[in-house]
Amino acid sequence: MTSRWVHEVEKLRDIEVRWHLMSLAVLNEDKLDELPEEYREWLEKYAWGPVRVVIAAQEEHGAQVLGDLYTAIGTRVHNRGEGPTKEAVAGGLKEVGLPASLLDHWDATPYEAALRASHNEGIEKVGQEVGTPVIAVPGPDGEEVAFFGPVVTPAPKGEAAARLWDGTLLVAATPGFYEIKRTRTQGPVFD
């Protein structure tokens, strides 16, 4: 949902989005014993394959493919209900013109170090006690400020998206600002 919001903001504000991979599989690999069995099984079955394919796409075709590939795969997984399957990832690759041979990385990839480096780059900005998404924005004096979130559903559109962006920049400019949070009362709304 955050990626959909950021795409909307791109239409309304002068921003340059740089996508990085973050992996729930990497994030949770040291705490598998603490996770509910159902989530642990989901991670083992679905979390590694897609991210291995995407890191291979980045390493072989450049980081500029990440935004469109993420959208193509995400639309299949979430909006179309295909789930994080090999077929959904294959469809995403085809849609953005990337070779199907990238699927060869599903079970293992020589780009494991690059995947972990990208993940760690994001998580080091915010700390270990978060998940996805992580967003980094310009803060005071031009330094980067990163947050977990925003977690929002459905993704705001038009001026509402721009106002949320402006608010994000405002809190990023506030020294010592760390968190605003409330309990989620609804699941993701993909429209």
Side-chain angles (χ1 to χ4, degrees), residues 1-6 16-24 27 70 117-138 144-152 165 168 178 184:
M1 303 311 301
T2 303
S3 70
R4 301 308 85 201
W5 164 66
V6 168
E16 177 187 340
V17 178
R18 289 174 283 135
W19 298 96
H20 293 267
L21 274 77
M22 186 170 179
S23 168
L24 290 173
L27 182 69
Y70 185 75
S118 181
H119 172 85
N120 289 335
E121 181 181 346
I123 206 73
E124 285 172 4
K125 294 173 190 278
V126 293
Q128 295 292 326
E129 298 169 10
V130 302
T132 63
V134 170
I135 185 170
V137 300
E144 195 173 69
V145 177
F147 298 105
F148 163 65
V151 176
V152 59
W165 175 257
T168 302
Y178 292 100
R184 295 182 205 188

Side-chain angles (χ1 to χ4, degrees), residues 67-77 80 88 91-93 95-96:
D68 289 341
L69 183 57
Y70 185 75
T71 295
I73 294 171
T75 299
R76 283 169 171 73
V77 169
R80 296 183 189 170
L93 291 171
E95 180 180 325
V96 299

Side-chain angles (χ1 to χ4, degrees), residues 31-158:
K31 28 187 166 176
L32 289 175
D33 293 339
E34 303 164 23
L35 300 173
E37 183 178 344
E38 185 177 302
Y39 186 58
R40 194 171 53 245
E41 289 173 0
W42 181 89
L43 284 170
E44 291 168 356
K45 184 173 182 180
Y46 294 114
W48 284 107
V51 77
R52 286 176 178 141
V53 172
V54 174
I55 193 66
Q58 173 187 294
E59 295 300 300
E60 295 179 14
H61 299 277
Q64 74 279 358
V65 305
L66 292 178
D68 289 341
L69 183 57
Y70 185 75
T71 295
I73 294 171
T75 299
R76 283 169 171 73
V77 169
H78 300 294
N79 300 71
R80 296 183 189 170
E82 296 176 29
T85 64
K86 204 170 195 176
E87 294 76 19
V89 174
L93 291 171
K94 183 176 182 179
E95 180 180 325
V96 299
L98 291 171
S101 61
L102 288 167
L103 288 170
D104 294 344
H105 295 271
W106 187 269
D107 293 313
T109 183
Y111 305 120
E112 177 86 13
L115 168 60
R116 290 176 183 283
S118 181
H119 172 85
N120 289 335
E121 181 181 346
I123 206 73
E124 285 172 4
K125 294 173 190 278
V126 293
Q128 295 292 326
E129 298 169 10
V130 302
T132 63
V134 170
I135 185 170
V137 300
D141 303 321
E143 80 273 5
E144 195 173 69
V145 177
F147 298 105
F148 163 65
V151 176
V152 59
T153 192
K157 303 231 183 306

